[in-house]
Amino acid sequence: MELDTNKFSFAAALTMGVAYLVCAGFVALWPEFSVKLLGWLVHVVNVEKFAGDVQITPLGFLIGLAQAVVYTYVGAWLFAWLHNKFMKPAK
């Protein structure tokens, strides 16, 4: 089954954008617990030493959202392109 690279990539980027919004909201509402979750995710016991003071600024939010969406789109596009390439029978 061939993937439509643009549709697949857009769906992945949109999914990542929604996940980023949920994550940013979580950090804004519960910053201390968010740092603890980050520590569990990256296997660091005292992540507070590295994460510092957790703050979400409007500019930081927008730049992070843009990066997450663009990087995901590019990665998903590459994945779909490679998938389609390897699904075609060898000549």
Side-chain angles (χ1 to χ4, degrees):
M1 176 178 122
E2 190 167 306
L3 296 173
D4 182 322
T5 54
N6 288 320
K7 287 180 181 179
F8 179 81
S9 302
F10 182 73
L14 185 60
T15 301
M16 181 58 76
V18 170
Y20 183 87
L21 291 170
V22 170
C23 182
F26 198 86
V27 172
L29 293 172
W30 302 287
E32 295 84 20
F33 187 61
S34 298
V35 170
K36 183 177 276 195
L37 286 175
L38 175 65
W40 292 338
L41 179 68
V42 296
H43 310 293
V44 177
V45 176
N46 53 352
V47 73
E48 324 56 60
K49 288 174 55 176
F50 306 104
D53 189 24
V54 177
Q55 286 185 352
I56 294 189
T57 64
L59 181 61
F61 170 79
L62 291 175
I63 291 172
L65 177 62
Q67 287 183 75
V69 169
V70 169
Y71 298 158
T72 302
Y73 184 91
V74 171
W77 190 94
L78 180 61
F79 175 88
W81 181 78
L82 287 169
H83 169 79
N84 291 341
K85 184 170 177 63
F86 291 125
M87 290 298 294
K88 292 180 182 171
K91 294 180 182 178

